[in-house]
Amino acid sequence: MLAEYVAHLVDVTSRFGVRPEQLLRGTGIRASTLEKTDALLPRAGFYALVMRALELSREPGLGFHYGMSLKLSAHGQPGLLAMTSGTLRDALMVAVRFVPLRVVDLSLAARLDERELVLEIAHNVPRELQVFASESFLVSFTQMGRSLVGHTLSARCSFPFAEPAHFKRFAHLLPPAKFGAPTSSLSLPLAMLDRAVVTSDSVVARRIERELSRELATLDERATYLSRVRSQLRPDDIPSLEELAERLDTSTRTLKRKLAAHGTSYRALVEELRRARALTLLREGTHTMTQIAGALGYTDRATFHRAYRRWFGTTPRSGSSFTVQGERRPGALT
């Protein structure tokens, strides 16, 4: 996760009286890191940050506030390419193609039928963050589309969950919404796709596309290597660094160097795996803390508790995780 997006979340949460140092506590993210907007931060740290933001702000609709804060300029070069595209269709295809350069836990697929273009959104995030992720992305995408063509989009959106209690407060920010759908999606009529982008610049667009294409090729190579490494790590079989290097037919020194070049480390990958498994076991609600600690490879529950606090800034609760109680009612967003 890019530090740019984390910095925006910190800023949004501060509007609810949550101090940056309070929000960052226990996430492993330092305030100084957020000043480097292109720095890569561990996914687990960002997940922990979102969960703390939801809990500390007591605003279950925080995703709307966050999504509204993400203007096209927040997305760097892909955002600039969308802004200089010729038509809305071109700008949407920029998002589909280059979103992996900005957000690793999200993928977009475009499906065209006789009447409309459907952008289907897949989130690879913990279940507790599905509502936040879907709401923030769809409201952000809707507002960015409006800024590209200079007026409100004629569209529909869908969510793969029941309507949350807070949704009515923010419904005016989105097109008509359907709940309980197979996926999160945004549907636009074909007639909208050829609308001209008000800031179109074909010369700049061609230059940025070349740069992003090279960057995407590098990312694909990196993702292939990390997939190979992750395939050797399972919740019930976490090898030591030396064992992992042996399985990959390399030295520990080379493995560490390659992981560092890919923006991660052996410890970060193991933490990512354990964090995801911990949330799954806690949601099931059928295991004791001692059993969960053992399943994650910890010697005792105290060690697990310390790890969990490091990940999420709180203590684990069997069967639940960061359920936000009550609603805080901020001023309406426009």
Side-chain angles (χ1 to χ4, degrees):
M1 178 60 63
L2 288 172
E4 176 87 19
Y5 297 121
V6 179
H8 274 84
L9 181 59
V10 171
D11 180 68
V12 167
T13 310
S14 69
R15 302 173 194 171
F16 296 88
V18 181
R19 300 185 308 278
E21 61 271 19
Q22 182 184 12
L23 179 62
L24 294 175
R25 187 177 303 130
T27 65
I29 299 173
R30 297 181 179 179
S32 59
T33 305
L34 302 186
E35 298 174 4
K36 306 171 185 177
T37 56
D38 59 345
L40 286 173
L41 302 175
R43 283 183 291 179
F46 183 69
Y47 295 157
L49 192 73
V50 175
M51 289 179 174
R52 280 186 63 78
L54 287 167
E55 185 171 54
L56 295 173
S57 69
R58 301 189 64 80
E59 171 52 273
L62 192 66
F64 283 98
H65 293 269
Y66 181 57
M68 289 291 289
S69 77
L70 296 176
K71 308 298 191 291
L72 278 163
S73 56
H75 301 290
Q77 291 288 78
L80 183 55
L81 180 55
M83 292 169 65
T84 54
S85 296
T87 65
L88 181 60
R89 183 197 304 267
D90 297 333
L92 292 174
M93 292 306 101
V94 167
V96 171
R97 184 179 177 191
F98 294 114
V99 71
L101 293 176
R102 306 297 292 179
V103 185
V104 297
D105 295 326
L106 180 147
S107 62
L108 286 176
R111 177 168 52 83
L112 195 65
D113 62 27
E114 295 180 355
R115 297 181 303 170
E116 59 187 9
L117 174 74
V118 181
L119 283 177
E120 295 184 333
I121 307 150
H123 298 286
N124 182 27
V125 299
R127 188 181 66 178
E128 291 84 355
L129 300 183
Q130 287 289 337
V131 171
F132 174 92
S134 294
E135 291 177 345
S136 62
F137 181 84
L138 283 174
V139 74
S140 176
F141 220 76
T142 299
Q143 299 304 316
M144 287 189 291
R146 175 191 291 178
S147 70
L148 286 171
V149 298
H151 55 77
T152 302
L153 297 180
S154 173
R156 298 179 295 108
C157 62
S158 68
F159 297 94
F161 42 76
E163 180 176 343
H166 64 264
F167 185 82
K168 287 183 173 58
R169 289 194 282 126
F170 304 96
H172 64 286
L173 299 174
L174 286 172
K178 175 185 177 182
F179 294 90
T183 61
S184 294
S185 67
L186 183 68
S187 303
L188 300 98
L190 296 184
M192 289 285 302
L193 301 182
D194 293 324
R195 298 288 176 87
V197 172
V198 297
T199 51
S200 176
D201 187 327
S202 60
V203 174
V204 174
R206 286 194 295 271
R207 174 179 59 78
I208 297 174
E209 184 184 15
R210 289 194 296 269
E211 295 172 358
L212 290 177
S213 295
R214 289 193 292 268
E215 188 178 345
L216 189 62
T218 301
L219 178 68
D220 289 340
E221 179 183 349
R222 185 169 66 219
T224 299
Y225 182 77
L226 290 180
S227 293
R228 184 181 172 213
V229 175
R230 286 192 175 101
S231 70
Q232 301 297 322
L233 300 172
R234 297 190 301 274
D236 59 345
D237 180 21
I238 301 179
S240 66
L241 176 64
E242 292 74 16
E243 291 169 335
L244 179 60
E246 184 176 350
R247 292 182 186 185
L248 295 170
D249 194 26
T250 188
S251 68
T252 56
R253 182 176 181 178
T254 299
L255 176 59
K256 287 193 291 186
R257 177 175 54 79
K258 286 188 174 182
L259 289 177
H262 287 68
T264 188
S265 65
Y266 166 78
R267 179 178 178 180
L269 292 176
V270 171
E271 291 274 284
E272 175 185 301
L273 182 69
R274 283 173 166 163
R275 182 202 59 76
R277 181 60 173 161
L279 289 178
T280 298
L281 294 174
L282 285 166
R283 281 198 301 265
E284 291 175 358
T286 58
H287 308 279
T288 66
M289 293 299 168
T290 300
Q291 290 172 331
I292 293 175
L296 297 177
Y298 293 113
T299 54
D300 52 54
R301 59 181 293 171
T303 307
F304 167 55
H305 273 237
R306 286 194 295 272
Y308 196 94
R309 181 174 288 279
R310 185 173 66 252
W311 297 331
F312 302 117
T314 188
T315 56
R317 301 184 294 275
S318 181
S320 64
S321 182
F322 294 93
T323 300
V324 179
Q325 302 294 334
E327 292 195 10
R328 180 172 180 166
R329 300 200 175 260
L333 287 172
T334 58

